[in-house]
Amino acid sequence: MTDWTSVCHIDEIPMLGSRVIAREGRIPIAVFRTADDTVFALLDQCPHKGGALSQGIVCEKTVTCPLHQWHISLDEGTAIAPDQGSTPTFPIKVEDCMVYIDLSVSDHG
């Protein structure tokens, strides 16, 4: 079953930036917006050393972790070679400029 939850208006996510969705007692979710208004949602934790991906730089469909410059694919959550690892992704959609995340999925990878 899908659990779509409204999290914000698309304009509340900076272009080529992110917005953090806090979750009580859990690692936050980072919602990213690309230059073409595509949105992605990842656990806000780099698979390398746990850096906050929401503080990274978005370029096309990747985010660069601010701690050690790992590049993470926004659509799959995987590290770009030569780095290895992944962070969980969350289904996300935009309808009438509102951003929704499916919170029914596990955030344990």
Side-chain angles (χ1 to χ4, degrees), residues 46 48-53 55-57 63-72:
C46 179
H48 177 227
K49 295 283 185 177
L53 294 175
Q55 295 176 17
I57 297 171
V63 61
T64 302
C65 178
L67 290 182
H68 300 102
Q69 288 69 54
W70 277 36
H71 299 278
I72 309 297

Side-chain angles (χ1 to χ4, degrees), residues 60-83:
E60 296 182 9
K61 291 188 178 181
T62 65
V63 61
T64 302
C65 178
L67 290 182
H68 300 102
Q69 288 69 54
W70 277 36
H71 299 278
I72 309 297
S73 164
L74 292 173
D75 54 356
E76 296 179 6
T78 55
I80 307 299
D83 301 319

